[in-house]
Amino acid sequence: PFDAALKGAKEIGFTIVSMTLSLVAVFIPVLLLQGLIGRLFREFAVTIAVAILVSGFVSLTLTPMLCARFLKPGHTTQHGKFYETTERLWLKLLGAYDRSLTWVMDHSRAALAFSAAILIGTVLLGHFVEKGFIPSEDQGMLFGNVLTREGTSFDAMVRHQQEVARIVQADSNVESFMSSVGRSSSMNEGFIFLQLKDRSKRKLDADAVGRELTAKTSVVPGVQVYLTNPPVINIGGRRSRSLYQFTLQGTNIDELFQKAGEFEVAARKLPGITDVNSDLQIKNPQVNVTIDRDRAAQLGISAEAVQQALYNAYGARQVSTIFTQDDQYWVVMELLPEYQRNLAALNLLSIRSPNGDLVPLTTLARVAPDVGPLTVNHQGQLPAVTISFNTAPGVSLGDAVTRVQDLARRTLPSSISTTFSGTAQAFQEAQSGLLVLLVLAIVVIYLVLGILYESFVHPITILTGLPFAGFGALLILVITRLDLSIYAFVGVIMLVGLVKKNAIMMIDFAIEAERRDKKSPREAILEACHVRFRPIMMTTMAALMGTLPIALGAGAGAESRRPLGVAVVGGLAFSQLVTLYVTPVFYTYFDTLAARVKAWRARRRAVAVEAHSTAP
């Protein structure tokens, strides 16, 4: 056992070093990433890289030591019926693999054509797969905005909010809720927070509960209810009633308001986009009091006196405090509610002049009803209107962003600039960043493998399995109707490091067989596939079984982890089946090509030497 452990460690040592370093190299670009993606996955990359390095060290030290101490010689080991049965099945599987691999090697051109088709299919799947960002998670809560028409009074808004609250309270999925009315800028908006029952006590997830309650509350006249499942990570953006924001900006405020209203109407008709609304509120009823300055000056009344009189009537001014033995009471002066709601009551107001006379307001000013904006939002010192929206079930954020951008190009003039905000903006930035990350990971792995093998060719042979892993990952995402979210993309990045282990185990053995036994590339790779078939299957099945619980999506927060597990399981399963046959084909072709290039260079050097020796 001691000698066997030393020999086994020596035989597999370089393979373990190659697999460990190349797998760690995958996460180097993640550590260098800036922005949101870098902040999200930096700790993840460090944890995985350190774990891989420790595992590689243990595999080269502790594992051989344990084998030397605990393994028993084969002739003293007694096996049971289960072992004998499984071993016979394994030998039959190995024999079938050897025969099928020989057939594939005899039809190598067909294997190359199949590989090219898979590469094209991977590119097409990458283009058509639904793009997402951060999957929605059921956190057991919902946030909602209740919106009524502009100009609604506080009392009317309270009644609307109470009607919505009664519907929410009667829902069997709601554990408790909190409701409030009014904001500093508007009284026509209410807020509601819902705490849902535990997931095991309800049949619907949080998104489905939100859609169901939105339909129930739609029966309340004059009210629009926007319920959203809060994202796991709240990314900037203006406060809005839906998850994703699209901001319009322009220097001409009249044109901006007009085009923003038209754009909102058109966006409501886009397929796959729901809960479209905006922060544009420019039709709030108001009363314009225009002071006749000349007349007021003749009577000795200033504009400030008019303002104070209006504030005394409608501003709820505190004019005194009554102190008692155990408490104090504020004295607030204002008109009775029936006068506050009646515009004609303004004609009854009078302003006291400096000589003590009461001058009717109508003598000094002209009162006219009008409409105006509740607020004028700005972004980057320019007036801005933010259109917010959600995506319908089954529609990815990538499709929604594309449709909104197309609508903006068709309907908005060049004088109005547009940009996504918050989560939608981070999604756009992540798309280009993730693609760069994938390319960098492949380049870094190629460089590391090139240094280890001292070859430009063998790393290419090892990396030929990547399209098969990508194809399997994207295909299973399409089949399971999952988006290519950032978590799924991280699964694809992990696949870049995982799938190459099969090729490394094959090629290491084949290179040694060529050098030691002087075998041809075909003979060497066939022997390598036969000998390394068992460890390849063992490591792949271990990785599959370890990732399968994540792919099945059990437990809290499974909605985020599941795309990663599904991508890894699909990519590993497909690439495992294909690389066992295609990698040997690539090895023979690239090995033959390298030999021809080396022979061509030798001939050129020989010709150059001969020409130099015959020169006068």
Side-chain angles (χ1 to χ4, degrees), residues 531-598:
V531 174
R532 294 289 173 87
F533 182 65
R534 186 188 292 266
I536 287 174
M537 294 297 293
M538 290 169 61
T539 53
T540 302
M541 293 305 297
L544 282 174
M545 293 300 104
T547 317
L548 192 59
I550 303 177
L552 295 177
E559 298 90 345
S560 293
R561 299 191 304 269
R562 186 166 178 250
L564 186 150
V566 168
V568 172
V569 168
L572 277 178
F574 186 78
S575 63
Q576 168 73 7
L577 177 63
V578 177
T579 55
L580 284 173
Y581 293 96
V582 176
T583 300
V585 174
F586 278 106
Y587 178 81
T588 55
Y589 269 99
F590 283 126
D591 198 288
T592 304
L593 178 63
R596 290 179 179 177
V597 170
K598 183 182 293 186

Side-chain angles (χ1 to χ4, degrees), residues 231-254:
V232 181
I233 302 174
N234 193 12
I235 305 171
R238 195 185 303 277
R239 182 182 181 275
S240 63
R241 305 176 191 97
S242 301
L243 291 177
Y244 311 112
Q245 298 90 38
F246 185 68
T247 301
L248 287 67
Q249 292 180 276
T251 55
N252 188 331
I253 194 168
D254 294 329

Side-chain angles (χ1 to χ4, degrees), residues 148-167:
T148 61
R149 64 181 179 85
E150 299 168 54
T152 301
S153 66
F154 179 80
D155 294 333
M157 186 64 215
V158 168
R159 291 193 295 271
H160 289 313
Q161 189 83 355
Q162 289 173 341
E163 292 183 39
V164 173
R166 280 193 292 270
I167 296 175

Side-chain angles (χ1 to χ4, degrees), residues 109-119 468 574 578 582:
R109 292 185 178 180
L112 293 177
F114 174 76
S115 302
I118 291 296
L119 179 60
F468 306 112
F574 186 78
V578 177
V582 176

Side-chain angles (χ1 to χ4, degrees), residues 19-31 41-57 494:
M19 294 169 59
T20 301
L21 295 182
S22 59
L23 187 53
V24 170
V26 173
F27 297 98
I28 293 177
V30 180
L31 296 176
F41 294 108
R42 187 167 291 118
E43 293 84 357
F44 172 82
V46 170
T47 304
I48 296 295
V50 172
I52 293 169
L53 289 174
V54 172
S55 174
F57 177 76
M494 291 180 65

Side-chain angles (χ1 to χ4, degrees), residues 29 441 487:
Y487 296 104

Side-chain angles (χ1 to χ4, degrees), residues 342-542:
N342 187 1
L343 181 60
L346 279 171
N347 299 326
L348 303 178
L349 286 180
S350 297
I351 294 91
R352 190 173 295 277
S353 65
N355 60 12
D357 296 333
L358 292 177
V359 180
L361 178 64
T362 54
T363 305
L364 302 171
R366 183 176 67 257
V367 178
D370 196 3
V371 294
L374 275 174
T375 57
V376 178
N377 294 310
H378 289 74
Q379 181 170 301
Q381 299 183 349
L382 289 177
V385 177
T386 297
I387 309 294
S388 56
F389 61 93
N390 289 327
T391 57
V395 178
S396 67
L397 178 58
D399 287 344
V401 166
T402 301
R403 293 168 187 174
V404 171
Q405 285 179 320
D406 290 342
L407 177 63
R409 281 193 292 266
R410 295 196 312 268
T411 59
L412 296 178
S414 58
S415 58
I416 295 179
S417 61
T418 62
T419 179
F420 284 97
S421 305
T423 303
Q425 182 184 21
F427 165 77
Q428 282 191 310
E429 296 173 353
Q431 291 302 300
S432 57
L434 289 174
L435 185 60
V436 172
L437 173 61
L438 179 60
V439 174
L440 285 177
I442 296 174
V443 171
V444 171
I445 288 179
Y446 176 81
L447 294 176
V448 170
L449 292 175
I451 294 171
L452 291 173
Y453 286 95
E454 298 180 351
S455 170
F456 294 104
V457 176
H458 293 314
I460 298 176
T461 307
I462 294 172
L463 295 175
T464 53
L466 297 185
F468 306 112
F471 183 85
L474 297 176
L475 181 63
I476 197 169
L477 288 174
V478 172
I479 293 174
T480 55
R481 298 183 179 181
L482 294 175
D483 296 342
L484 182 60
S485 62
I486 57 174
Y487 296 104
F489 208 98
V490 169
V492 175
I493 298 296
M494 291 180 65
L495 279 174
V496 173
L498 291 174
V499 299
K500 60 182 175 38
K501 67 174 182 60
N502 295 358
I504 289 176
M505 285 192 280
M506 293 179 189
I507 292 173
D508 277 351
F509 191 98
I511 292 174
E512 185 63 24
E514 283 191 59
R515 293 173 180 172
R516 183 185 65 243
D517 302 328
K518 306 301 180 183
K519 292 186 177 182
S520 66
R522 179 187 172 101
E523 294 173 340
I525 195 64
L526 286 176
E527 183 183 359
C529 292
H530 178 84
V531 174
R532 294 289 173 87
F533 182 65
R534 186 188 292 266
I536 287 174
M537 294 297 293
M538 290 169 61
T539 53
T540 302
M541 293 305 297

